[in-house]
Amino acid sequence: AKQNISDLLGAFESAVVGQSGACRTLAATLWHHLQHRGGDGYQAPRVLLVGPRGCGKTTIARTLCAAAKLPAYHADASKMSETGYIGENVENVVGALLHRAGNAEDTRTGILVLDGLQHIVRQTPQPGGRDVAGREVQRDLVRLLDGMEITAVPHGPRHPQALYGVVKADQILVVGIVTFDFCADDEVALRAGLVERGLVDEMLSRFDIILPLRPLDAEDLEKIGMNFLGPIRKVIEPLGCTLVDQGGMAILAERAAASGDGAFALRSPLGQLRERATLERPRAWVLDSALAAELCRTRPT
């Protein structure tokens, strides 16, 4: 059954914090894809998410894949090379999507996420060598973004049941992710900034939608942190522990916002909290300013 647009938007809003504009755009884009995939003449959109570390780019892409309920593959673009002999290439990632889908037709209308495109911007290969991990990879991706036929090659260990096949990529919903921390007033300036940082204009021009994501502020990060407390409680409550927040999460969020690492900066202190609550039990834990300061210190050796 085809999903309702309000259900798709709700899926994004419940999983993603602080990027409402991007969520609305992607919900509409996904709904359009679900309505028209498989139709004659349909060309799936190509979407590029651009933003700083820890702003939710990967979370947004994963939410899109989960909401679509279509075959999907999340590729690490940093491992791609021009030929594939030192990593993956276009044929490998399409092969991975084919493996998830089970057949070429479902692969054709699936979702392919290319994460970490900022890692394939090298422009100065070693003397006498080829730029196998830089600009040539981007030019190779143009074949995928143009919707050409790709010979799917199984990635990972080869085995007799590995799926091979020719997949026409015109209806694959491609989502690219780029980590760059800079501001632009409009899309033209944004594209120019990406080119200055090593992305090839030939590849960028194939993306129909370029979505800039803003850095998360302390209020956003506090909401994310509070969401993290739920799973921690599920771990420690059976051990006889309780956990309440009394202003400590706001302090952790402010430090995370100032760090430039966004939501990633919450991982270490909340990981320490889960670790301590698991080992020092039973105990009633209160996340206040004093405990927040302790959690931000370097782990003892």
Side-chain angles (χ1 to χ4, degrees), residues 130-145:
R130 301 179 66 181
D131 188 14
V132 297
R135 296 172 65 90
E136 293 307 318
V137 179
Q138 297 183 54
R139 293 193 173 97
D140 199 31
L141 286 172
V142 170
R143 297 187 295 126
L144 171 67
L145 299 173

Side-chain angles (χ1 to χ4, degrees), residues 46 48 50 117 138 142 145 178 187 190-196 198-210:
R46 280 68 169 104
L48 186 65
V50 183
L117 289 175
Q138 297 183 54
V142 170
L145 299 173
V178 180
E187 186 170 315
L190 179 60
R191 288 178 183 267
L194 291 170
V195 171
E196 289 177 2
L199 293 182
V200 176
D201 195 29
E202 183 181 3
M203 181 187 72
L204 280 176
S205 65
R206 266 65 178 185
F207 285 99
D208 312 287
I209 303 170
I210 297 183

Side-chain angles (χ1 to χ4, degrees), residues 15-159:
V16 180
V17 174
Q19 306 292 356
S20 59
C23 289
R24 291 177 61 85
T25 298
L26 287 174
T29 300
L30 178 55
W31 183 85
H32 179 77
H33 179 68
L34 295 173
Q35 292 291 317
H36 298 286
R37 67 189 182 92
D40 293 337
Y42 171 63
Q43 175 84 26
R46 280 68 169 104
V47 182
L48 186 65
L49 305 178
V50 183
R53 296 186 307 276
C55 71
K57 300 183 297 299
T58 299
T59 298
I60 289 174
R62 289 174 177 168
T63 302
L64 184 144
C65 293
K69 300 178 182 178
L70 295 175
Y73 180 66
H74 198 125
D76 181 359
S78 68
K79 296 181 180 179
M80 297 184 72
S81 68
E82 180 188 0
T83 59
Y85 66 84
I86 61 170
E88 293 186 332
N89 58 10
V90 171
E91 287 76 12
N92 294 136
V93 296
V94 174
L97 181 59
L98 174 61
H99 180 75
R100 297 280 178 88
N103 59 75
E105 189 58 33
D106 287 340
T107 303
R108 186 189 179 196
T109 60
I111 301 174
L112 189 56
V113 178
L114 303 174
D115 204 341
L117 289 175
Q118 73 278 2
H119 294 296
I120 55 172
V121 299
R122 190 174 62 186
Q123 302 181 45
T124 53
Q126 296 177 353
R130 301 179 66 181
D131 188 14
V132 297
R135 296 172 65 90
E136 293 307 318
V137 179
Q138 297 183 54
R139 293 193 173 97
D140 199 31
L141 286 172
V142 170
R143 297 187 295 126
L144 171 67
L145 299 173
D146 275 344
M148 298 178 66
E149 290 187 342
I150 306 293
T151 301
V153 176
H155 83 313
R158 304 296 191 262
H159 53 85

